[in-house]
Amino acid sequence: MARLFYQDIMQWSSLHHFDVVTYIPASPSHLLERGFDPVYELYSEVFDLKKLLIKADADKPQAQKNRLERLQTPQTFSARPEIRTIPKDKSILILDDIYTTGRTLMYAREIFLAQNLHNVTTFSLSR
């Protein structure tokens, strides 16, 4: 799938500049199940990705939840220590693959806001 969208992602990235680019990581159980991180694989050839977030396993995968269940799912993110080294004036891009309710990116964005990093943008390939 990454190869299919490579040109589109490359084109979008050429029009936008960010100091730091990170992504929504797979949870440990998804990594174990799939053997790869789909969001990382989707964007890694276009961006210099920094692993700044940790995602814990949830009760069940997002894909198995309806809209209400997704909206009610508690936050499963935490920050890696490296997030504290980012200067406050830097622009940050958080990447994800699919935007359904927006909760995943909102939770991730809150992690950066809590670190007093306010210039945060999000991007998803699909909605």
Side-chain angles (χ1 to χ4, degrees):
M1 190 163 112
R3 296 274 177 237
L4 291 173
F5 293 105
Y6 176 81
Q7 289 299 328
D8 295 320
I9 295 168
M10 183 62 87
Q11 182 180 357
W12 185 88
S13 73
S14 71
L15 300 173
H16 302 87
H17 171 76
F18 299 92
D19 299 310
V20 178
V21 182
T22 191
Y23 62 100
I24 301 298
S27 65
S29 65
H30 279 141
L31 271 176
L32 188 61
E33 180 182 319
R34 292 183 176 146
F36 66 97
D37 187 322
V39 178
Y40 178 84
E41 294 299 328
L42 186 60
Y43 297 106
S44 65
E45 295 213 9
V46 176
F47 297 99
D48 177 22
L49 298 174
K50 306 296 183 209
K51 188 170 186 176
L52 299 173
L53 299 169
I54 300 168
K55 186 175 183 182
D57 284 324
D59 56 344
K60 63 181 179 179
Q62 290 285 77
Q64 295 177 7
K65 297 178 185 180
N66 64 37
R67 180 175 172 75
L68 182 59
E69 288 174 318
R70 287 177 188 215
L71 290 171
Q72 293 175 340
T73 299
Q75 179 175 359
T76 60
F77 290 104
S78 58
R80 294 177 57 92
E82 297 88 340
I83 201 169
R84 287 182 243 135
T85 65
I86 300 172
K88 305 301 180 217
D89 63 336
K90 297 299 181 185
S91 60
I92 298 161
L93 175 63
I94 307 171
L95 299 168
D96 200 2
D97 54 356
I98 300 169
Y99 181 107
T100 304
T101 64
R103 292 303 297 162
T104 301
L105 287 170
M106 286 175 30
Y107 282 147
R109 186 173 183 272
E110 288 172 7
I111 296 291
F112 289 91
L113 296 177
Q115 296 293 321
N116 205 23
L117 297 163
H118 296 284
N119 190 1
V120 180
T121 302
T122 64
F123 177 86
S124 294
L125 181 65
S126 177
R127 179 168 181 181

